[in-house]
Amino acid sequence: QVQLVESGGGSVQPGGSLKLSCVTSGFTLDDYVIGWFRQAPGKQREGVACFSVRDGDTYYEDRVVKGRFAVSRDNAENTVYLQMNSLEPEDTAVYYCAADRSVGYYCPFSDFEYPFWGQGTQVTVSS
């Protein structure tokens, strides 16, 4: 059974940092891509990053990330991280990780392409 569990959210001041975790189980992580998404109040869910686990490449939504976020992986713990720096109030949202079977080098940013989702973790950036 595929499971993803996010954690690490919280409240920070503008300019602060958070590191989100996505603990995965029930599947072979190397066979999947992991997407990070977020949904702000009253807005549609949007893609933040896509991590192609097998080849280790990460693709970022530059409009959202602006060079501030980075994805990494802990092989031993089957965990994927999203390090977020220089946070802005506009980054306030529920952040999700999602999984999809990898197909070649394709790394989707559309949420409808991901069949497996975590429950989300709240990130609030406010002074």
Side-chain angles (χ1 to χ4, degrees), residues 35-110:
W36 282 97
F37 293 82
R38 70 184 189 183
Q39 188 166 20
K43 295 187 176 181
Q44 287 190 328
R45 189 157 52 189
E46 61 181 352
V48 174
C50 179
F51 177 46
S52 179
V53 182
R54 181 175 297 163
D55 55 29
D57 289 334
T58 305
Y59 305 89
Y60 297 96
E61 177 57 64
D62 290 337
R63 175 185 58 80
V64 170
V65 173
K66 296 180 280 189
R68 303 173 297 141
F69 297 177
V71 174
S72 62
R73 174 191 179 183
D74 182 329
N75 292 342
E77 299 295 330
N78 286 327
T79 301
V80 178
Y81 301 98
L82 178 67
Q83 175 69 47
M84 305 188 296
N85 301 320
S86 301
L87 285 163
E88 304 168 350
E90 293 73 23
D91 296 314
T92 295
V94 178
Y95 283 72
Y96 300 89
C97 61
D100 184 25
R101 279 194 169 272
S102 63
V103 179
Y105 294 99
Y106 182 54
C107 213
F109 276 86
S110 299

